[in-house]
Amino acid sequence: MTMAGEEKAGTVKRFLFVNRKAPYGTIYALEALEVVLIAAAFDQDVSLAFLDDGVYQLLAGNDPAPIGMKNFSPTYRALEDYDITKLYVDRESLALRGLDTAAFIVPVSVVDRGQMAAIMAAQDVVLSF
Amino acid sequence: MLHTVNKSPFASATLSACIEHITPGAALLLIEDGVTGAVAGTPAADLLAAILGRCPVYVLQPDLAARGLREARLLPGVELVDYAGFVRLVVAHEAVQAWL
Amino acid sequence: MAYEVDGKTITADEEGYIVNLADWSEPLATIIAKAEGLEMTSNHWEVVNFLREYYNEFQIAPAIRVLTKAIGKKLGPDKGNNKYLYDLFPYGPAKQACKIAGLPKPTGCI
């Protein structure tokens, strides 16, 4: 057994995790979060993108206990401890859903479609959830 | 960047989300239920027609055949690829973004 | 596997992590530590309690690098380093201390 964080730093790649699903209806959001934390433990350059229904993942005040699920929203606040600070949120997806980042659990950068497209194009690896 | 879309545009907004984030030099490959987006005369085909000038659009032939669709139904300009062609596209692009 | 504490059987997985996080208690922690060959001291408790607080706040057990940094921030640089933590928990602070703290195995541990 080895702990990822103990490995000698090797190649650093730019990883983008694209989140397009609301939390709790499917397992995508939670699985993405797990993989994000693993990538960060391997000292990779990690960014997160939230678009379409993925923006719902960042709302504060989730209470999934009544549907029998673990609340993983607090884990987004641990991302900073993992040196993950590049969280990009699609402006149009927010507007379409009547949301704004004041209701979010963590600070994010709101970007327009063109900026998001450029962020995606600049990655070595893109993983979609 | 090679973008893949595997959802039908009649059931999900995945194809339009992908098209909105495609940059010049990228390519789009429709697979699984995503192949239905390339059928001419549909709203999805209109979206594809608008990007064909700057991004090639491919359709995975086995997925098309499995659904009883034929090349004659497709938007002109869309190219068919087989599994080997899929692999060549992956190799030809620096990264793959799978839109789910 | 399982642990016996005060006549109660607490189920754990094959690596010794307890299955139900609500089963945790300080006497259980002492018993898990013993099974790991460790005698709990105030320094051990400090790390175990830190992990439990971290889990309560963020719902995850932190990876070793994160744990080391966070402990350094809270308890000072003489404790926020690998040597100090490995002296306390020789089989890996995140892994062994998490087990004693009744938490799941940390994400990023393979």
Side-chain angles (χ1 to χ4, degrees), chain C residues 2-6 8-12 16-35 40 45 52 99-103:
Chain C
Y3 303 101
E4 292 291 331
V5 54
D6 299 331
K8 249 184 80 185
T9 303
I10 308 293
T11 42
Y17 292 84
I18 62 169
V19 172
N20 186 352
L21 306 193
D23 283 341
W24 189 85
S25 64
E26 292 196 358
L28 173 63
T30 309
I31 287 165
I32 299 174
K34 267 211 183 77
M40 292 295 282
W45 281 115
R52 290 187 59 80
K99 197 184 287 183
I100 296 165
L103 306 182

PDB file of all heavy atoms in Angstrom, chain C residues 2-6 8-12 16-35 40 45 52 99-103:
ATOM      1  N   ALA C   2     -14.154  -8.032  13.537  1.00  0.00           N
ATOM      2  CA  ALA C   2     -14.991  -7.324  14.513  1.00  0.00           C
ATOM      3  C   ALA C   2     -14.178  -6.984  15.764  1.00  0.00           C
ATOM      4  O   ALA C   2     -13.108  -7.551  15.998  1.00  0.00           O
ATOM      5  CB  ALA C   2     -16.182  -8.202  14.904  1.00  0.00           C
ATOM      6  N   TYR C   3     -14.644  -6.025  16.520  1.00  0.00           N
ATOM      7  CA  TYR C   3     -14.031  -5.669  17.809  1.00  0.00           C
ATOM      8  C   TYR C   3     -15.047  -5.913  18.913  1.00  0.00           C
ATOM      9  O   TYR C   3     -16.254  -5.798  18.711  1.00  0.00           O
ATOM     10  CB  TYR C   3     -13.616  -4.188  17.827  1.00  0.00           C
ATOM     11  CG  TYR C   3     -12.663  -3.782  16.737  1.00  0.00           C
ATOM     12  CD1 TYR C   3     -13.129  -3.117  15.605  1.00  0.00           C
ATOM     13  CD2 TYR C   3     -11.297  -4.060  16.839  1.00  0.00           C
ATOM     14  CE1 TYR C   3     -12.257  -2.735  14.596  1.00  0.00           C
ATOM     15  CE2 TYR C   3     -10.413  -3.679  15.833  1.00  0.00           C
ATOM     16  CZ  TYR C   3     -10.894  -3.015  14.707  1.00  0.00           C
ATOM     17  OH  TYR C   3     -10.029  -2.639  13.722  1.00  0.00           O
ATOM     18  N   GLU C   4     -14.524  -6.265  20.087  1.00  0.00           N
ATOM     19  CA  GLU C   4     -15.381  -6.441  21.272  1.00  0.00           C
ATOM     20  C   GLU C   4     -15.158  -5.257  22.196  1.00  0.00           C
ATOM     21  O   GLU C   4     -14.024  -4.994  22.607  1.00  0.00           O
ATOM     22  CB  GLU C   4     -15.010  -7.735  22.016  1.00  0.00           C
ATOM     23  CG  GLU C   4     -15.345  -9.011  21.265  1.00  0.00           C
ATOM     24  CD  GLU C   4     -16.838  -9.268  21.152  1.00  0.00           C
ATOM     25  OE1 GLU C   4     -17.594  -8.832  22.052  1.00  0.00           O
ATOM     26  OE2 GLU C   4     -17.253  -9.890  20.151  1.00  0.00           O
ATOM     27  N   VAL C   5     -16.211  -4.501  22.489  1.00  0.00           N
ATOM     28  CA  VAL C   5     -16.063  -3.400  23.445  1.00  0.00           C
ATOM     29  C   VAL C   5     -17.253  -3.394  24.395  1.00  0.00           C
ATOM     30  O   VAL C   5     -18.402  -3.334  23.965  1.00  0.00           O
ATOM     31  CB  VAL C   5     -15.876  -2.038  22.723  1.00  0.00           C
ATOM     32  CG1 VAL C   5     -16.970  -1.769  21.730  1.00  0.00           C
ATOM     33  CG2 VAL C   5     -15.733  -0.910  23.711  1.00  0.00           C
ATOM     34  N   ASP C   6     -16.953  -3.502  25.701  1.00  0.00           N
ATOM     35  CA  ASP C   6     -17.978  -3.539  26.757  1.00  0.00           C
ATOM     36  C   ASP C   6     -19.056  -4.585  26.452  1.00  0.00           C
ATOM     37  O   ASP C   6     -20.256  -4.308  26.566  1.00  0.00           O
ATOM     38  CB  ASP C   6     -18.633  -2.148  26.931  1.00  0.00           C
ATOM     39  CG  ASP C   6     -17.619  -1.096  27.349  1.00  0.00           C
ATOM     40  OD1 ASP C   6     -16.624  -1.465  28.012  1.00  0.00           O
ATOM     41  OD2 ASP C   6     -17.808   0.088  26.997  1.00  0.00           O
ATOM     42  N   LYS C   8     -20.047  -5.609  23.696  1.00  0.00           N
ATOM     43  CA  LYS C   8     -20.741  -5.404  22.410  1.00  0.00           C
ATOM     44  C   LYS C   8     -19.795  -5.731  21.256  1.00  0.00           C
ATOM     45  O   LYS C   8     -18.599  -5.483  21.334  1.00  0.00           O
ATOM     46  CB  LYS C   8     -21.199  -3.941  22.289  1.00  0.00           C
ATOM     47  CG  LYS C   8     -22.715  -3.775  22.345  1.00  0.00           C
ATOM     48  CD  LYS C   8     -23.121  -2.320  22.116  1.00  0.00           C
ATOM     49  CE  LYS C   8     -23.115  -1.906  20.650  1.00  0.00           C
ATOM     50  NZ  LYS C   8     -23.387  -0.453  20.477  1.00  0.00           N
ATOM     51  N   THR C   9     -20.371  -6.307  20.185  1.00  0.00           N
ATOM     52  CA  THR C   9     -19.557  -6.623  19.011  1.00  0.00           C
ATOM     53  C   THR C   9     -19.721  -5.525  17.970  1.00  0.00           C
ATOM     54  O   THR C   9     -20.840  -5.199  17.569  1.00  0.00           O
ATOM     55  CB  THR C   9     -20.002  -7.980  18.420  1.00  0.00           C
ATOM     56  OG1 THR C   9     -19.881  -8.971  19.456  1.00  0.00           O
ATOM     57  CG2 THR C   9     -19.121  -8.374  17.245  1.00  0.00           C
ATOM     58  N   ILE C  10     -18.591  -4.956  17.582  1.00  0.00           N
ATOM     59  CA  ILE C  10     -18.599  -3.889  16.574  1.00  0.00           C
ATOM     60  C   ILE C  10     -18.007  -4.454  15.289  1.00  0.00           C
ATOM     61  O   ILE C  10     -16.854  -4.879  15.271  1.00  0.00           O
ATOM     62  CB  ILE C  10     -17.750  -2.676  17.030  1.00  0.00           C
ATOM     63  CG1 ILE C  10     -18.159  -2.204  18.434  1.00  0.00           C
ATOM     64  CG2 ILE C  10     -17.821  -1.549  15.993  1.00  0.00           C
ATOM     65  CD1 ILE C  10     -19.537  -1.619  18.532  1.00  0.00           C
ATOM     66  N   THR C  11     -18.819  -4.455  14.206  1.00  0.00           N
ATOM     67  CA  THR C  11     -18.321  -5.047  12.959  1.00  0.00           C
ATOM     68  C   THR C  11     -17.399  -4.078  12.211  1.00  0.00           C
ATOM     69  O   THR C  11     -17.613  -2.869  12.212  1.00  0.00           O
ATOM     70  CB  THR C  11     -19.475  -5.452  12.017  1.00  0.00           C
ATOM     71  OG1 THR C  11     -20.439  -4.411  12.041  1.00  0.00           O
ATOM     72  CG2 THR C  11     -20.096  -6.750  12.426  1.00  0.00           C
ATOM     73  N   ALA C  12     -16.385  -4.691  11.588  1.00  0.00           N
ATOM     74  CA  ALA C  12     -15.421  -3.916  10.814  1.00  0.00           C
ATOM     75  C   ALA C  12     -15.167  -4.657   9.508  1.00  0.00           C
ATOM     76  O   ALA C  12     -15.508  -5.831   9.374  1.00  0.00           O
ATOM     77  CB  ALA C  12     -14.120  -3.765  11.594  1.00  0.00           C
ATOM     78  N   GLY C  16     -10.130  -3.794   9.001  1.00  0.00           N
ATOM     79  CA  GLY C  16     -10.260  -3.307  10.372  1.00  0.00           C
ATOM     80  C   GLY C  16     -10.935  -1.954  10.523  1.00  0.00           C
ATOM     81  O   GLY C  16     -11.004  -1.409  11.630  1.00  0.00           O
ATOM     82  N   TYR C  17     -11.435  -1.392   9.401  1.00  0.00           N
ATOM     83  CA  TYR C  17     -12.195  -0.135   9.488  1.00  0.00           C
ATOM     84  C   TYR C  17     -13.619  -0.468   9.928  1.00  0.00           C
ATOM     85  O   TYR C  17     -14.253  -1.347   9.343  1.00  0.00           O
ATOM     86  CB  TYR C  17     -12.234   0.581   8.143  1.00  0.00           C
ATOM     87  CG  TYR C  17     -10.889   1.113   7.704  1.00  0.00           C
ATOM     88  CD1 TYR C  17      -9.973   0.292   7.056  1.00  0.00           C
ATOM     89  CD2 TYR C  17     -10.537   2.435   7.945  1.00  0.00           C
ATOM     90  CE1 TYR C  17      -8.728   0.771   6.653  1.00  0.00           C
ATOM     91  CE2 TYR C  17      -9.300   2.922   7.553  1.00  0.00           C
ATOM     92  CZ  TYR C  17      -8.403   2.096   6.909  1.00  0.00           C
ATOM     93  OH  TYR C  17      -7.187   2.565   6.523  1.00  0.00           O
ATOM     94  N   ILE C  18     -14.130   0.235  10.949  1.00  0.00           N
ATOM     95  CA  ILE C  18     -15.484  -0.082  11.408  1.00  0.00           C
ATOM     96  C   ILE C  18     -16.493   0.272  10.319  1.00  0.00           C
ATOM     97  O   ILE C  18     -16.301   1.199   9.539  1.00  0.00           O
ATOM     98  CB  ILE C  18     -15.847   0.603  12.750  1.00  0.00           C
ATOM     99  CG1 ILE C  18     -15.831   2.132  12.645  1.00  0.00           C
ATOM    100  CG2 ILE C  18     -14.942   0.096  13.858  1.00  0.00           C
ATOM    101  CD1 ILE C  18     -16.430   2.811  13.869  1.00  0.00           C
ATOM    102  N   VAL C  19     -17.574  -0.512  10.266  1.00  0.00           N
ATOM    103  CA  VAL C  19     -18.539  -0.390   9.180  1.00  0.00           C
ATOM    104  C   VAL C  19     -19.498   0.768   9.435  1.00  0.00           C
ATOM    105  O   VAL C  19     -19.809   1.561   8.545  1.00  0.00           O
ATOM    106  CB  VAL C  19     -19.325  -1.720   9.018  1.00  0.00           C
ATOM    107  CG1 VAL C  19     -20.472  -1.561   8.034  1.00  0.00           C
ATOM    108  CG2 VAL C  19     -18.370  -2.833   8.575  1.00  0.00           C
ATOM    109  N   ASN C  20     -19.981   0.884  10.683  1.00  0.00           N
ATOM    110  CA  ASN C  20     -20.937   1.924  11.029  1.00  0.00           C
ATOM    111  C   ASN C  20     -20.228   2.997  11.853  1.00  0.00           C
ATOM    112  O   ASN C  20     -19.812   2.757  12.983  1.00  0.00           O
ATOM    113  CB  ASN C  20     -22.091   1.299  11.828  1.00  0.00           C
ATOM    114  CG  ASN C  20     -23.194   2.305  12.081  1.00  0.00           C
ATOM    115  OD1 ASN C  20     -23.048   3.506  11.792  1.00  0.00           O
ATOM    116  ND2 ASN C  20     -24.290   1.830  12.636  1.00  0.00           N
ATOM    117  N   LEU C  21     -20.090   4.190  11.259  1.00  0.00           N
ATOM    118  CA  LEU C  21     -19.312   5.244  11.915  1.00  0.00           C
ATOM    119  C   LEU C  21     -19.894   5.619  13.277  1.00  0.00           C
ATOM    120  O   LEU C  21     -19.188   6.085  14.167  1.00  0.00           O
ATOM    121  CB  LEU C  21     -19.237   6.492  11.019  1.00  0.00           C
ATOM    122  CG  LEU C  21     -18.721   6.279   9.588  1.00  0.00           C
ATOM    123  CD1 LEU C  21     -18.400   7.608   8.929  1.00  0.00           C
ATOM    124  CD2 LEU C  21     -17.511   5.364   9.540  1.00  0.00           C
ATOM    125  N   ALA C  22     -21.208   5.399  13.448  1.00  0.00           N
ATOM    126  CA  ALA C  22     -21.861   5.756  14.703  1.00  0.00           C
ATOM    127  C   ALA C  22     -21.465   4.804  15.844  1.00  0.00           C
ATOM    128  O   ALA C  22     -21.720   5.089  17.016  1.00  0.00           O
ATOM    129  CB  ALA C  22     -23.378   5.751  14.524  1.00  0.00           C
ATOM    130  N   ASP C  23     -20.817   3.679  15.502  1.00  0.00           N
ATOM    131  CA  ASP C  23     -20.376   2.722  16.529  1.00  0.00           C
ATOM    132  C   ASP C  23     -19.166   3.222  17.319  1.00  0.00           C
ATOM    133  O   ASP C  23     -18.776   2.624  18.312  1.00  0.00           O
ATOM    134  CB  ASP C  23     -19.968   1.386  15.870  1.00  0.00           C
ATOM    135  CG  ASP C  23     -21.174   0.562  15.468  1.00  0.00           C
ATOM    136  OD1 ASP C  23     -22.266   0.828  15.989  1.00  0.00           O
ATOM    137  OD2 ASP C  23     -21.006  -0.340  14.622  1.00  0.00           O
ATOM    138  N   TRP C  24     -18.554   4.300  16.867  1.00  0.00           N
ATOM    139  CA  TRP C  24     -17.280   4.724  17.455  1.00  0.00           C
ATOM    140  C   TRP C  24     -17.446   5.222  18.884  1.00  0.00           C
ATOM    141  O   TRP C  24     -18.453   5.854  19.232  1.00  0.00           O
ATOM    142  CB  TRP C  24     -16.650   5.832  16.604  1.00  0.00           C
ATOM    143  CG  TRP C  24     -15.243   6.154  17.018  1.00  0.00           C
ATOM    144  CD1 TRP C  24     -14.119   5.518  16.618  1.00  0.00           C
ATOM    145  CD2 TRP C  24     -14.819   7.174  17.923  1.00  0.00           C
ATOM    146  NE1 TRP C  24     -13.009   6.090  17.212  1.00  0.00           N
ATOM    147  CE2 TRP C  24     -13.412   7.102  18.020  1.00  0.00           C
ATOM    148  CE3 TRP C  24     -15.493   8.153  18.671  1.00  0.00           C
ATOM    149  CZ2 TRP C  24     -12.660   7.964  18.819  1.00  0.00           C
ATOM    150  CZ3 TRP C  24     -14.756   9.008  19.466  1.00  0.00           C
ATOM    151  CH2 TRP C  24     -13.347   8.910  19.540  1.00  0.00           C
ATOM    152  N   SER C  25     -16.458   4.908  19.709  1.00  0.00           N
ATOM    153  CA  SER C  25     -16.389   5.457  21.065  1.00  0.00           C
ATOM    154  C   SER C  25     -14.916   5.478  21.446  1.00  0.00           C
ATOM    155  O   SER C  25     -14.090   4.841  20.788  1.00  0.00           O
ATOM    156  CB  SER C  25     -17.170   4.573  22.040  1.00  0.00           C
ATOM    157  OG  SER C  25     -16.548   3.293  22.103  1.00  0.00           O
ATOM    158  N   GLU C  26     -14.583   6.214  22.503  1.00  0.00           N
ATOM    159  CA  GLU C  26     -13.176   6.264  22.921  1.00  0.00           C
ATOM    160  C   GLU C  26     -12.652   4.891  23.353  1.00  0.00           C
ATOM    161  O   GLU C  26     -11.532   4.533  22.988  1.00  0.00           O
ATOM    162  CB  GLU C  26     -12.984   7.330  24.002  1.00  0.00           C
ATOM    163  CG  GLU C  26     -13.185   8.727  23.418  1.00  0.00           C
ATOM    164  CD  GLU C  26     -12.657   9.855  24.304  1.00  0.00           C
ATOM    165  OE1 GLU C  26     -12.149   9.544  25.410  1.00  0.00           O
ATOM    166  OE2 GLU C  26     -12.760  11.016  23.892  1.00  0.00           O
ATOM    167  N   PRO C  27     -13.462   4.123  24.121  1.00  0.00           N
ATOM    168  CA  PRO C  27     -12.965   2.773  24.455  1.00  0.00           C
ATOM    169  C   PRO C  27     -12.708   1.929  23.199  1.00  0.00           C
ATOM    170  O   PRO C  27     -11.720   1.184  23.138  1.00  0.00           O
ATOM    171  CB  PRO C  27     -14.102   2.164  25.288  1.00  0.00           C
ATOM    172  CG  PRO C  27     -14.852   3.329  25.831  1.00  0.00           C
ATOM    173  CD  PRO C  27     -14.725   4.434  24.815  1.00  0.00           C
ATOM    174  N   LEU C  28     -13.581   2.064  22.170  1.00  0.00           N
ATOM    175  CA  LEU C  28     -13.373   1.327  20.925  1.00  0.00           C
ATOM    176  C   LEU C  28     -12.067   1.764  20.270  1.00  0.00           C
ATOM    177  O   LEU C  28     -11.289   0.927  19.784  1.00  0.00           O
ATOM    178  CB  LEU C  28     -14.553   1.535  19.963  1.00  0.00           C
ATOM    179  CG  LEU C  28     -14.372   0.932  18.552  1.00  0.00           C
ATOM    180  CD1 LEU C  28     -14.241  -0.595  18.615  1.00  0.00           C
ATOM    181  CD2 LEU C  28     -15.517   1.333  17.624  1.00  0.00           C
ATOM    182  N   ALA C  29     -11.812   3.074  20.272  1.00  0.00           N
ATOM    183  CA  ALA C  29     -10.585   3.594  19.660  1.00  0.00           C
ATOM    184  C   ALA C  29      -9.360   2.951  20.321  1.00  0.00           C
ATOM    185  O   ALA C  29      -8.402   2.558  19.637  1.00  0.00           O
ATOM    186  CB  ALA C  29     -10.536   5.113  19.797  1.00  0.00           C
ATOM    187  N   THR C  30      -9.398   2.831  21.642  1.00  0.00           N
ATOM    188  CA  THR C  30      -8.289   2.223  22.376  1.00  0.00           C
ATOM    189  C   THR C  30      -8.094   0.769  21.949  1.00  0.00           C
ATOM    190  O   THR C  30      -6.955   0.303  21.798  1.00  0.00           O
ATOM    191  CB  THR C  30      -8.568   2.300  23.890  1.00  0.00           C
ATOM    192  OG1 THR C  30      -8.913   3.656  24.200  1.00  0.00           O
ATOM    193  CG2 THR C  30      -7.354   1.903  24.705  1.00  0.00           C
ATOM    194  N   ILE C  31      -9.217   0.075  21.736  1.00  0.00           N
ATOM    195  CA  ILE C  31      -9.156  -1.343  21.338  1.00  0.00           C
ATOM    196  C   ILE C  31      -8.619  -1.487  19.906  1.00  0.00           C
ATOM    197  O   ILE C  31      -7.785  -2.359  19.628  1.00  0.00           O
ATOM    198  CB  ILE C  31     -10.556  -1.991  21.489  1.00  0.00           C
ATOM    199  CG1 ILE C  31     -10.848  -2.186  22.987  1.00  0.00           C
ATOM    200  CG2 ILE C  31     -10.633  -3.330  20.761  1.00  0.00           C
ATOM    201  CD1 ILE C  31     -12.287  -2.473  23.306  1.00  0.00           C
ATOM    202  N   ILE C  32      -9.088  -0.610  18.999  1.00  0.00           N
ATOM    203  CA  ILE C  32      -8.575  -0.654  17.615  1.00  0.00           C
ATOM    204  C   ILE C  32      -7.072  -0.371  17.633  1.00  0.00           C
ATOM    205  O   ILE C  32      -6.281  -1.050  16.960  1.00  0.00           O
ATOM    206  CB  ILE C  32      -9.300   0.360  16.703  1.00  0.00           C
ATOM    207  CG1 ILE C  32     -10.803   0.066  16.631  1.00  0.00           C
ATOM    208  CG2 ILE C  32      -8.702   0.327  15.289  1.00  0.00           C
ATOM    209  CD1 ILE C  32     -11.621   1.111  15.863  1.00  0.00           C
ATOM    210  N   ALA C  33      -6.667   0.612  18.437  1.00  0.00           N
ATOM    211  CA  ALA C  33      -5.243   0.967  18.528  1.00  0.00           C
ATOM    212  C   ALA C  33      -4.431  -0.240  18.993  1.00  0.00           C
ATOM    213  O   ALA C  33      -3.362  -0.533  18.444  1.00  0.00           O
ATOM    214  CB  ALA C  33      -5.056   2.155  19.466  1.00  0.00           C
ATOM    215  N   LYS C  34      -4.941  -0.939  19.991  1.00  0.00           N
ATOM    216  CA  LYS C  34      -4.248  -2.137  20.519  1.00  0.00           C
ATOM    217  C   LYS C  34      -4.071  -3.172  19.423  1.00  0.00           C
ATOM    218  O   LYS C  34      -2.998  -3.772  19.277  1.00  0.00           O
ATOM    219  CB  LYS C  34      -5.050  -2.737  21.685  1.00  0.00           C
ATOM    220  CG  LYS C  34      -4.595  -2.225  23.033  1.00  0.00           C
ATOM    221  CD  LYS C  34      -4.801  -3.284  24.135  1.00  0.00           C
ATOM    222  CE  LYS C  34      -4.399  -2.674  25.489  1.00  0.00           C
ATOM    223  NZ  LYS C  34      -5.476  -1.756  26.006  1.00  0.00           N
ATOM    224  N   ALA C  35      -5.149  -3.369  18.625  1.00  0.00           N
ATOM    225  CA  ALA C  35      -5.082  -4.319  17.517  1.00  0.00           C
ATOM    226  C   ALA C  35      -4.033  -3.887  16.499  1.00  0.00           C
ATOM    227  O   ALA C  35      -3.492  -4.706  15.761  1.00  0.00           O
ATOM    228  CB  ALA C  35      -6.462  -4.438  16.845  1.00  0.00           C
ATOM    229  N   MET C  40      -2.439   4.242  23.062  1.00  0.00           N
ATOM    230  CA  MET C  40      -2.877   5.631  22.842  1.00  0.00           C
ATOM    231  C   MET C  40      -2.285   6.576  23.888  1.00  0.00           C
ATOM    232  O   MET C  40      -2.418   6.356  25.086  1.00  0.00           O
ATOM    233  CB  MET C  40      -4.410   5.713  22.876  1.00  0.00           C
ATOM    234  CG  MET C  40      -5.099   5.028  21.712  1.00  0.00           C
ATOM    235  SD  MET C  40      -4.767   5.789  20.109  1.00  0.00           S
ATOM    236  CE  MET C  40      -5.863   7.217  20.190  1.00  0.00           C
ATOM    237  N   TRP C  45      -4.235  10.883  20.693  1.00  0.00           N
ATOM    238  CA  TRP C  45      -5.616  11.387  20.777  1.00  0.00           C
ATOM    239  C   TRP C  45      -5.767  12.706  20.040  1.00  0.00           C
ATOM    240  O   TRP C  45      -6.785  12.978  19.405  1.00  0.00           O
ATOM    241  CB  TRP C  45      -6.049  11.573  22.249  1.00  0.00           C
ATOM    242  CG  TRP C  45      -6.429  10.276  22.899  1.00  0.00           C
ATOM    243  CD1 TRP C  45      -5.796   9.663  23.942  1.00  0.00           C
ATOM    244  CD2 TRP C  45      -7.541   9.431  22.549  1.00  0.00           C
ATOM    245  NE1 TRP C  45      -6.426   8.486  24.261  1.00  0.00           N
ATOM    246  CE2 TRP C  45      -7.505   8.315  23.421  1.00  0.00           C
ATOM    247  CE3 TRP C  45      -8.541   9.501  21.584  1.00  0.00           C
ATOM    248  CZ2 TRP C  45      -8.444   7.293  23.358  1.00  0.00           C
ATOM    249  CZ3 TRP C  45      -9.482   8.480  21.521  1.00  0.00           C
ATOM    250  CH2 TRP C  45      -9.420   7.381  22.399  1.00  0.00           C
ATOM    251  N   ARG C  52     -11.364  13.363  13.438  1.00  0.00           N
ATOM    252  CA  ARG C  52     -12.818  13.289  13.626  1.00  0.00           C
ATOM    253  C   ARG C  52     -13.470  14.651  13.379  1.00  0.00           C
ATOM    254  O   ARG C  52     -14.532  14.736  12.772  1.00  0.00           O
ATOM    255  CB  ARG C  52     -13.168  12.754  15.012  1.00  0.00           C
ATOM    256  CG  ARG C  52     -12.836  11.262  15.164  1.00  0.00           C
ATOM    257  CD  ARG C  52     -13.328  10.696  16.479  1.00  0.00           C
ATOM    258  NE  ARG C  52     -14.776  10.823  16.653  1.00  0.00           N
ATOM    259  CZ  ARG C  52     -15.677  10.010  16.101  1.00  0.00           C
ATOM    260  NH1 ARG C  52     -15.274   9.000  15.354  1.00  0.00           N
ATOM    261  NH2 ARG C  52     -16.961  10.205  16.299  1.00  0.00           N
ATOM    262  N   LYS C  99      -8.364   4.742  10.964  1.00  0.00           N
ATOM    263  CA  LYS C  99      -8.972   3.506  11.439  1.00  0.00           C
ATOM    264  C   LYS C  99      -9.332   3.636  12.919  1.00  0.00           C
ATOM    265  O   LYS C  99     -10.433   3.294  13.338  1.00  0.00           O
ATOM    266  CB  LYS C  99      -7.983   2.345  11.227  1.00  0.00           C
ATOM    267  CG  LYS C  99      -8.616   0.984  11.303  1.00  0.00           C
ATOM    268  CD  LYS C  99      -7.583  -0.121  11.197  1.00  0.00           C
ATOM    269  CE  LYS C  99      -7.030  -0.262   9.790  1.00  0.00           C
ATOM    270  NZ  LYS C  99      -6.068  -1.392   9.708  1.00  0.00           N
ATOM    271  N   ILE C 100      -8.390   4.179  13.685  1.00  0.00           N
ATOM    272  CA  ILE C 100      -8.625   4.357  15.127  1.00  0.00           C
ATOM    273  C   ILE C 100      -9.723   5.389  15.366  1.00  0.00           C
ATOM    274  O   ILE C 100     -10.508   5.278  16.310  1.00  0.00           O
ATOM    275  CB  ILE C 100      -7.305   4.756  15.822  1.00  0.00           C
ATOM    276  CG1 ILE C 100      -6.289   3.608  15.701  1.00  0.00           C
ATOM    277  CG2 ILE C 100      -7.537   5.090  17.293  1.00  0.00           C
ATOM    278  CD1 ILE C 100      -4.858   4.007  16.019  1.00  0.00           C
ATOM    279  N   ALA C 101      -9.802   6.393  14.480  1.00  0.00           N
ATOM    280  CA  ALA C 101     -10.812   7.442  14.634  1.00  0.00           C
ATOM    281  C   ALA C 101     -12.188   6.985  14.148  1.00  0.00           C
ATOM    282  O   ALA C 101     -13.158   7.731  14.237  1.00  0.00           O
ATOM    283  CB  ALA C 101     -10.375   8.697  13.862  1.00  0.00           C
ATOM    284  N   GLY C 102     -12.257   5.752  13.620  1.00  0.00           N
ATOM    285  CA  GLY C 102     -13.550   5.219  13.181  1.00  0.00           C
ATOM    286  C   GLY C 102     -14.027   5.777  11.862  1.00  0.00           C
ATOM    287  O   GLY C 102     -15.212   5.741  11.555  1.00  0.00           O
ATOM    288  N   LEU C 103     -13.080   6.290  11.053  1.00  0.00           N
ATOM    289  CA  LEU C 103     -13.446   6.908   9.772  1.00  0.00           C
ATOM    290  C   LEU C 103     -13.155   5.957   8.613  1.00  0.00           C
ATOM    291  O   LEU C 103     -12.396   5.006   8.762  1.00  0.00           O
ATOM    292  CB  LEU C 103     -12.637   8.198   9.578  1.00  0.00           C
ATOM    293  CG  LEU C 103     -12.718   9.218  10.711  1.00  0.00           C
ATOM    294  CD1 LEU C 103     -11.903  10.453  10.367  1.00  0.00           C
ATOM    295  CD2 LEU C 103     -14.164   9.595  10.995  1.00  0.00           C
TER     296      LEU C 103
END
